[in-house]
Amino acid sequence: MTQVTDHRGGVWSIAVPIPDNPLGHTLVHLLETDRGPVLIDTGWDDPHSWDTLAAGVEACGFALTDLHGVLITHHHPDHHGLSAKVREVSGAWIAMHAADTAMVRRARDAEPGRWLDYLTAKLTTAGAPEDHLAPLRAARAKRGARSLPNRRPALPDRDIAPGELLDLPGRRLRAIWTPGHTPGHVCLHLEEEHPGRGAGAGGAGAGGAGAGYLRGTGAGAGRTAAGAAAGGASGFGRLFSGDHLLPGITPHVGLYEDPDDATVTDPLGDYLDSLERIGRLAPAEVLPAHQHAFADADGRVRELLTHHEERLSGLRALLREPLTPWQLAVAMEWNRPWEQIPYGSRNIAVSEAEAHLRRLVKLGHAEPVPGSDPVTYRAV
């Protein structure tokens, strides 16, 4: 059964499955406007996901052809994947922050061999062993023809500008730039009184699926119960948080770089700053793209800030002995032992280790060891 939740006040969520992924699904939100419904994210580009999205829109009382626009929180394929098909069927516009639009454009224009060369060079510099580099070299020898998906992500029609009150007749939805998880990630603040104030947040889902779905989410489920008890009484409006703020998951923060741009970024610093802005906003309820809706955004922000503070402190302790980014990634604590982390996920882990190293270097708590090759870092 398609899982659709009526959050009241013209706000719905549709659980669109992500194939072969432990996250399970993306919560695509539908927002009713005076000009027609607008989607916030679209889900993964997969036939079953498409069928689920179409059934979900219908369960909300609309046809796909009624869709007026698509707002993308960030460019990742479990959020942006179906955007092109939605636009093709409905004629809806697609909007995204310019920084993520630039990443979509690079992905569309990418020559597989060039990106394989770049990834191989990055991992070599990070200290990856030869047995990890060998598959990349083999793929490069085949010109990378089969290494990238055939479908290209959709280029947006519109930019989402930070602080902008979006052009959605009958609604007050404001864009908040929250870089970190991606350079152009945005949260969307619905500046309207919570319809459940004093009566609990969330409503019955289509086909009776909604309430059970909100209760049965596993990690972080206690936060939902607390949010329902609070009834949205401790803040103003609702926040569509994408992947920036999730009730029981710490989003990945790694490096997103242009091979032609040598600018040294600090994505973890960007993420922590963005978290603090959302904490000060203190919405009555958060509607994330994964897991479940929850209250007490400020409390969750404090948990995440504490988590990253403790993690940086722990990594600084590991760096008492010089380590390459690869060695640091192996030593870091993940949700499973390093030996069980799949090949592709190890690349993501190394990227996250490098983001943490950059933060430590910027804070003056770590430095590269002069003359080391591959470069190692030590605590200061």
Side-chain angles (χ1 to χ4, degrees), residues 48-70:
H48 178 51
S49 303
W50 171 254
D51 291 343
T52 302
L53 177 64
V57 170
E58 183 176 348
C60 295
F62 300 97
L64 285 171
T65 52
D66 295 327
L67 293 172
H68 166 58
V70 175

Side-chain angles (χ1 to χ4, degrees), residues 19-20 57 61 81 87 139 147 149 161 186 197 213 234 238 271 284 314 331 378:
D20 302 318
V57 170
R87 181 168 60 189
S147 63
V186 293
R197 184 173 291 276
Y213 167 62
S234 59
R238 291 180 277 183
Y271 178 66
R378 64 189 174 197

Side-chain angles (χ1 to χ4, degrees), residues 62-87:
F62 300 97
L64 285 171
T65 52
D66 295 327
L67 293 172
H68 166 58
V70 175
L71 298 164
I72 300 299
T73 61
H74 61 295
H75 72 87
H76 286 166
D78 55 324
H79 297 257
H80 183 43
L82 286 171
S83 299
K85 195 162 186 177
V86 169
R87 181 168 60 189

Side-chain angles (χ1 to χ4, degrees), residues 232-294:
S234 59
F236 176 67
R238 291 180 277 183
L239 184 76
F240 300 99
S241 66
D243 282 0
H244 182 69
L245 191 63
L246 303 169
I249 301 172
T250 303
H252 165 69
V253 179
L255 301 183
Y256 288 91
E257 297 180 313
D258 181 348
D260 298 323
D261 187 349
T263 303
V264 177
T265 59
D266 180 18
L268 182 55
D270 292 340
Y271 178 66
L272 298 176
D273 289 344
S274 300
L275 276 179
E276 291 182 344
R277 288 201 301 276
I278 295 302
R280 291 192 296 269
L281 183 68
E285 186 179 27
V286 179
L287 301 173
H290 301 289
Q291 295 191 296
H292 53 78
F294 64 100

Side-chain angles (χ1 to χ4, degrees), residues 339-360:
E339 295 73 21
Q340 298 176 19
I341 297 178
Y343 178 89
S345 297
R346 291 186 180 190
N347 295 338
I348 296 172
V350 173
S351 179
E352 186 156 329
E354 289 185 298
H356 281 75
L357 276 171
R358 286 196 183 179
R359 188 65 188 153
L360 286 170

